[in-house]
Amino acid sequence: MQNPDEIFVALRDAMVELFELDPEQVTPDANLYEDLEIDSIDAVDLIDHIKRQTGQKIAAEDFKAVRTVGDVVEVVNRLVNPVAP
């Protein structure tokens, strides 16, 4: 299992590679759309990358509420570390 810090580092590295971003830009508070200029096609690429890395699909409704890098980390954390009932 990965903790949120490890997820953030992996996500930041992926975003730097996928979208040619400066690593310093990718912070937990960075807004995907305004600060990082991620568009809907980029978001699909990011979702696909997460699916390949985790082996799990992110539900579209989970990703609709995502606004910041920290939000993505939370979604991925819930995917890879499900809460036991």
Side-chain angles (χ1 to χ4, degrees):
M1 288 195 206
Q2 293 184 314
N3 68 42
D5 291 335
E6 293 169 330
I7 293 168
F8 170 73
V9 170
L11 182 64
R12 181 192 63 212
D13 293 349
M15 293 178 79
V16 166
E17 184 178 323
L18 289 169
F19 310 126
E20 300 178 358
L21 296 171
D22 186 345
E24 288 81 37
Q25 288 179 283
V26 185
T27 66
D29 294 329
N31 184 291
L32 296 174
Y33 311 105
E34 296 169 10
D35 300 330
L36 303 179
E37 299 179 3
I38 302 291
D39 62 22
S40 58
I41 303 223
D42 292 336
V44 170
D45 289 342
L46 183 59
I47 291 169
D48 185 56
H49 177 81
I50 292 167
K51 180 182 174 186
R52 286 192 315 261
Q53 295 301 310
T54 65
Q56 304 205 25
K57 185 178 180 192
I58 295 177
E61 54 272 6
D62 285 343
F63 213 78
K64 282 182 185 175
V66 165
R67 295 288 175 259
T68 67
V69 173
D71 293 341
V72 179
V73 170
E74 286 180 35
V75 169
V76 174
N77 188 45
R78 285 195 306 265
L79 266 181
V80 297
N81 299 308
V83 176

